């Protein structure tokens, strides 16, 4: 099993450009998440999807949109990138059942907006 | 929303010294998880605590959940260079979302 995969690993954008970050998991998990991590800071939740077909805003959703394409895939879109969106983006998945709350993280996408 | 405060932000130790990071919440938590993130890496799950007063050990790591389920700690005995990284606590809600603390970054001097 590959676990959680993310593409691309690195990206440089100019202000105003758009892009989509891709995430896929092969663990048959119900819930998926997008976080951003700024230097020296923790993880802030952008959007999450508790189950296929549903998405909800997290702590910092402005400037982002998401799509839960199917159970495996959860994409994050920046419509008009801004320098404030320079960050490392992590996708995570979670089984969704009661009990264990462990989240599995992808390797991250390092995004720079000039 | 739920907030989780973590202290200290940074800790520098000599190899062999002990290390502790603390996680505090103003509200009662249903459970708490701990994650480790190596430099340049992604967070990796270490453990979950669920019961009031729970103590769990993983080799040199000891995790505690407070009696009131509002705080938790991670203690590393006799640190090694392989322990370097940032340690995060995370509190989850019934919806499965987790609120992460800002982490404690540990550096170990050989």
């Amino acid at each position: 099993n590959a676990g959680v995969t993310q593409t691309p690993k690195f990206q440089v954008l100019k202000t105003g450009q758009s892009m989509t970050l891709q995430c896929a998991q092969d663990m048959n998990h119900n819930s998926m998440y997008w976080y951003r991590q700024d230097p020296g800071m923790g993880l802030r939740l952008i959007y999450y999807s508790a189950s296929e077909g549903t998405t909800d805003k997290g702590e910092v959703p402005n400037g982002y949109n998401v799509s839960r394409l199917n159970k495996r895939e959860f994409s994050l879109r920046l419509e008009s990138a801004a320098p404030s969106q320079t960050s490392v983006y992590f996708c995570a998945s979670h089984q969704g059942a009661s009990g264990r709350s462990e989240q599995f993280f992808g390797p991250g996408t390092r995004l720079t907006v000039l | 929303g739920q907030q989780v405060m973590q202290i200290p932000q940074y800790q520098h130790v000599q190899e062999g010294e002990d290390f502790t990071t603390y996680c505090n919440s103003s509200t009662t938590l249903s459970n708490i998880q701990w994650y480790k993130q190596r430099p340049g890496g992604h967070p990796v799950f270490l453990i979950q605590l669920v019961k009031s007063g729970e103590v769990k050990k993983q080799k040199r790591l000891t995790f505690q959940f407070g009696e009131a389920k509002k705080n938790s700690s991670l203690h590393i005995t006799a640190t090694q260079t392989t322990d370097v990284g940032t340690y995060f606590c995370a509190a989850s809600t019934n919806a499965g979302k987790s609120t992460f603390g800002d982490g404690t970054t540990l550096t170990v001097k050989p």
Side-chain angles (χ1 to χ4, degrees):
Chain A
N1 287 352
V4 179
T5 57
Q6 291 182 238
T7 57
K9 287 187 168 55
F10 301 92
Q11 184 72 50
V12 179
L13 294 176
K14 294 181 179 178
T15 297
Q17 288 185 316
S18 62
M19 79 161 296
T20 300
L21 282 65
Q22 306 287 353
C23 174
Q25 53 92 9
D26 61 2
M27 296 173 283
N28 201 36
H29 285 172
N30 290 309
S31 303
M32 297 184 73
Y33 309 84
W34 276 105
Y35 294 92
R36 62 176 288 174
Q37 184 177 37
D38 299 319
M41 296 186 67
L43 297 151
R44 291 186 292 171
L45 183 65
I46 305 171
Y47 270 93
Y48 69 102
S49 171
S51 62
E52 185 180 357
T54 68
T55 60
D56 285 288
K57 294 179 180 179
E59 183 185 353
V60 289
N62 291 345
Y64 305 95
N65 284 300
V66 291
S67 295
R68 184 74 182 267
L69 304 170
N70 47 56
K71 193 171 186 179
R72 289 188 64 248
E73 298 172 290
F74 189 37
S75 62
L76 177 72
R77 182 159 179 84
L78 287 69
E79 288 293 349
S80 180
S84 60
Q85 294 178 306
T86 294
S87 190
V88 180
Y89 291 84
F90 288 103
C91 175
S93 71
H94 170 248
Q95 187 174 4
S98 61
R100 286 182 70 88
S101 297
E102 174 181 0
Q103 291 191 20
F104 293 82
F105 285 82
T109 294
R110 284 149 181 80
L111 174 66
T112 301
V113 183
L114 303 174
Chain B
Q2 184 169 260
Q3 285 192 322
V4 176
M5 306 301 294
Q6 202 172 343
I7 56 170
Q9 187 174 6
Y10 299 97
Q11 186 77 55
H12 311 282
V13 301
Q14 193 78 31
E15 188 173 20
E17 292 181 337
D18 292 355
F19 159 77
T20 305
T21 173
Y22 301 90
C23 187
N24 298 293
S25 170
S26 58
T27 60
T28 301
L29 305 172
S30 57
N31 61 60
I32 197 159
Q33 307 99 47
W34 286 92
Y35 292 79
K36 177 183 179 180
Q37 183 178 24
R38 294 183 186 275
H42 59 276
V44 174
F45 176 80
L46 293 176
I47 207 159
Q48 175 175 276
L49 305 172
V50 178
K51 300 177 183 177
S52 168
E54 189 169 14
V55 178
K56 288 188 176 180
K57 292 190 175 184
Q58 289 179 351
K59 297 183 180 179
R60 294 178 294 105
L61 278 61
T62 301
F63 304 84
Q64 293 189 336
F65 202 7
E67 293 290 342
K69 299 183 73 174
K70 289 185 176 182
N71 56 76
S72 181
S73 65
L74 158 60
H75 179 83
I76 302 178
T77 303
T79 54
Q80 300 175 358
T81 54
T82 53
D83 294 325
V84 299
T86 301
Y87 293 85
F88 294 98
C89 62
S92 64
T93 69
N94 291 334
K97 289 192 304 178
S98 291
T99 299
F100 282 78
D102 283 343
T104 297
T105 299
L106 171 66
T107 56
V108 179
K109 187 175 181 181

